[in-house]
Amino acid sequence: MKKILVIDDERPLTELLQHMLEGNGFRVEVAHNGLEGLGKLKNFQPDLIVLDVSMPQMDGWQFLRTLRASPVTKGIKVIMCTEKNLIKEIELADELGAQAYILKPFDTERVLRKIEEIL
Amino acid sequence: MKLPRMSIRYKIISLFVLAVALPVLLISIILISISRRSIRDSIFIQQQETVARVADRINSQLDRHKQLLSIYRDIGQLPGKQQVAAAREILGQSDALSEISLLDASGREQWKYDRTGPGKELIDRSRRGEYKFALSGRSYISSVYLSAQRSPYIILSVPLQGRSGALVAKLNLSQMWQWISEIKVGETGQAFVVDQKGNLIAHPEPERVWAHSNFSDLPVVRDFIERRQPSAERWSEYRDERGYKVVALYQYLPKLNWAVVTQIPAKEVYAPIRKMHENIIFWTIFFTGAFLYIGYQFVQRITNPLSLLKSGAEQISQGKLDIKLDIHTGDEIEDLAKNFEKMATALKELETLREDLIRMIIHDLKSPLSGIMGSLDYLESGMLGDITDDQKKIISLAKKSSESLLVMIQNLLDVAKMEEGKLELRKEKMDISAVIRERKYQFDTLVKNEGKTLSVDVEAGLPPIEAEQHLIERILNNLLTNAVNHTSTGGAITIGARHLGRFLEVRVADNGVGIPPEYRDKIFEKFVQVERKQAHLRTGAGLGLTFCKMVVETHGGHIRVESELNKGSAFIFTLPL
């Protein structure tokens, strides 16, 4: 069973994603900011992380940098979610080794398709 | 009174000119006229002194010779041999005396001696002045005569003691000429002597005297002849025989009825005045120039910071708020600049706050919206189990509202971004006809449900344009949404496109209520104030038209509205090919 970590500060959205992804046969863990996400990673090794960009305490970019800096977590695939439609952000996501970049609000089916595509 | 617009620089400079240049000019004019007068006066006095000196000298020489003769008034009483010795003695006393003769009581010459010895031809002088004066006991000075050698002389006589005749002397005037030519009148001036008829008696150029020149035509001589004042009261100015302007004065010699005239080239007389003029003009120009220069520097010191302030203000008005004004004048202007910078900083903080606020609103609105829309999608997808048609309809209503909320947020975001100039266009080749057809497809259901029609009228073979497709799509969405909202049932909406020069023109028209003329420009503004009865003009999409205008203009196009009340409106925008 593939494991997914969803990190987003919008709780209803994380719950929705968790519900939907679990319904589609994934094991899902949820965190509400980057720091919490890093904590989760200690005893949960996901195959993919759905990562929001703007979050309190530690934002998506910081989280992604930390993730890529450690050899243990370097290989985890990442989908970035953001509400900002900026070329700079897409380029940054690419540079930091995110596999995909999804604009919010997204529809659930598209997220699901993207995830299945990447895994 | 409204003054014409004039920069501060020119105002201050004009003030300076008025306050400095004019007074300086006025002072220098006054100075010139005062000093001109005083210089003229002093030259006049100087010349008068010269002429008086000459006159004195002539007088004193004549007096000397008369006195010399007077000493020998008793010559007639001496024995004959001693008379001859006395005559020689007299001749020895003065080089200017050329002949001495003794007249007897009847006026006949008793003897005469010149420098060569005794004269042969003794003549009768009883009809002459020298005798007649002697008879009445007075000494005599004759007019000028010319000798056979053409040298001028005058006759002096003194009565002998006891009125027994006269001692007569020929006084050679060559000597006097010598004095006159020795007199320096200025640098290049000259002095000469005329008698009461204007005949020249002495002149530095003896030829003139020999030629019996008469100078009565000269204004100065005429003045002397006519007025016979002891001295000239004023200058005579005229052109001399060579055509040079001269300035002349005379001094009367009463004993002789002559006048000494000095004549100086006007150029020389006026040289000090001219020099003074030059000096005053030079200093006037120098001081005016210096003052103006200082004034200009002063003005620069005021206006340079002012123009810095002005450009700072312009930058602020263009949204550049991190200005640093380099003004260190140490006065109110510097304070003003400091306050200006403070104001700009405050504005910048405010602007940053505004941007942060917008970003926060967008984020905080969009995240929950993601939750709502995601949940609706999830429900609709059927992954949670089958749903009924009624349920589907309700879900789609919720979705529609969420979407229009999203459009609003998106417009707000884009308008904010375009205002900051941060919207980066991702232009690509796009086919406008395809986009329009797609819009029709998307809006068809909505339009039909509301009982309206949407027709497409696109010119065939339109060239592709370079634009950011999803922004153009959103313009069309905004305009179509507006059209649907502003038409009642039975409304007809057309969307068309055509080739227009170097542009592509897209037109979204409806036959709705129309827009009152006074709102036709305002509707593109960000927050348009609309009266309550016109509230429908405030479209559901909020900043929709502002967004459209900004996107079109960012692409290099133009948007406008044509409308007629109760007939409909047409929004027309162009995009460059």
Side-chain angles (χ1 to χ4, degrees), chain B residues 266-283:
Chain B
K267 220 165 99 186
E268 191 190 324
V269 172
Y270 290 123
I273 294 178
R274 210 176 46 242
K275 187 128 183 68
M276 179 210 58
H277 280 190
E278 281 167 9
N279 272 339
I280 290 180
I281 290 169
F282 170 79
W283 287 110

Side-chain angles (χ1 to χ4, degrees), chain A residues 10 16 20 54 83 85 107, chain B residues 363 366 368 375 377-378 426:
Chain A
E10 182 68 19
L16 172 69
M20 180 196 73
S54 27
E83 50 278 300
N85 184 13
D107 73 60
Chain B
H363 175 255
K366 265 181 145 185
S375 306
D377 279 336
Y378 192 31
R426 268 166 279 172

Side-chain angles (χ1 to χ4, degrees), chain B residues 243-264:
Chain B
Y244 295 122
K245 260 193 152 168
V246 291
V247 169
L249 281 181
Y250 68 86
Q251 174 80 41
Y252 183 45
L253 302 174
K255 286 175 197 156
L256 292 164
N257 259 341
W258 295 350
V260 180
V261 175
T262 56
Q263 187 176 281
I264 308 180

Side-chain angles (χ1 to χ4, degrees), chain B residues 152-187:
Chain B
Y153 64 91
I154 53 170
I155 303 291
L156 293 177
S157 80
V158 291
L160 289 179
Q161 247 168 15
R163 298 195 184 177
S164 51
L167 184 60
V168 178
K170 249 190 197 178
L171 182 63
N172 195 329
L173 291 183
S174 307
Q175 274 295 312
M176 194 167 76
W177 292 359
Q178 192 59 36
W179 313 327
I180 284 176
S181 60
E182 276 169 9
I183 291 167
K184 271 189 92 71
V185 184
E187 287 290 320

Side-chain angles (χ1 to χ4, degrees), chain B residues 32-154:
Chain B
I32 281 178
S33 74
I34 290 176
S35 55
R36 189 189 163 90
R37 207 174 308 140
S38 69
I39 288 180
R40 269 186 78 123
D41 288 351
S42 83
I43 292 171
F44 181 80
I45 289 166
Q46 205 184 324
Q47 211 180 340
Q48 220 172 22
E49 278 168 4
T50 309
V51 86
R53 209 168 61 238
V54 177
D56 273 357
R57 194 153 176 196
I58 292 170
N59 270 332
S60 69
Q61 286 297 329
L62 284 171
D63 283 349
R64 187 169 84 85
H65 286 95
K66 258 168 36 184
Q67 273 164 17
L68 185 63
L69 292 181
S70 300
I71 293 169
Y72 294 91
R73 279 173 69 185
D74 57 354
I75 193 166
Q77 291 156 10
L78 295 173
K81 278 199 174 170
Q82 281 183 28
Q83 286 187 3
V84 174
R88 288 208 175 118
E89 221 175 281
I90 295 170
L91 286 176
Q93 296 269 336
S94 167
D95 291 343
L97 294 175
S98 57
E99 193 186 283
I100 297 288
S101 57
L102 187 72
L103 304 189
D104 64 12
S106 67
R108 280 194 65 84
E109 285 180 344
Q110 292 274 291
W111 48 259
K112 63 175 160 193
Y113 276 92
D114 61 17
R115 293 196 177 270
T116 53
K120 295 280 181 310
E121 292 164 41
L122 298 175
I123 52 167
D124 182 3
R125 290 182 186 265
S126 58
R127 293 174 186 278
R128 305 269 191 92
E130 52 265 37
Y131 173 67
K132 286 180 179 161
F133 271 63
L135 273 184
S136 55
R138 288 180 292 153
S139 52
Y140 170 76
I141 297 168
S142 77
S143 320
V144 180
Y145 303 102
L146 281 175
S147 69
Q149 290 81 37
R150 299 195 65 73
S151 85
Y153 64 91
I154 53 170

Side-chain angles (χ1 to χ4, degrees), chain B residues 211-249:
Chain B
H212 282 287
S213 305
N214 187 293
F215 276 13
S216 57
D217 283 346
L218 290 182
V220 64
V221 178
R222 203 161 54 232
D223 189 38
F224 157 64
I225 293 169
E226 284 166 7
R227 293 150 63 98
R228 202 69 55 103
Q229 304 272 343
S231 63
E233 286 170 337
R234 56 189 164 79
W235 265 331
S236 300
E237 281 193 56
Y238 52 89
R239 288 186 185 277
D240 69 4
E241 65 283 357
R242 281 164 302 182
Y244 295 122
K245 260 193 152 168
V246 291
V247 169
L249 281 181

Side-chain angles (χ1 to χ4, degrees), chain A residues 8-10 13 16 19-20 23-24 52 54 83-88 90 104-109 112, chain B residues 359 362-363 366-371 373-375 377-378 381 383-384 406 413 417 422 424 426 470:
Chain A
D8 197 312
D9 60 334
E10 182 68 19
L13 196 66
L16 172 69
H19 192 275
M20 180 196 73
N24 281 278
D52 184 26
S54 27
E83 50 278 300
K84 287 179 210 144
N85 184 13
L86 292 175
I87 299 176
K88 264 188 297 199
I90 297 173
K104 275 186 179 179
F106 41 73
D107 73 60
T108 41
E109 278 181 84
L112 191 60
Chain B
R359 217 165 289 133
I362 290 162
H363 175 255
K366 265 181 145 185
S367 281
L369 201 56
S370 297
M373 292 179 79
S375 306
D377 279 336
Y378 192 31
S381 70
M383 281 187 267
L384 293 170
L406 180 64
L413 175 65
K417 270 200 278 190
K422 280 185 187 159
E424 304 144 78
R426 268 166 279 172
H470 93 99

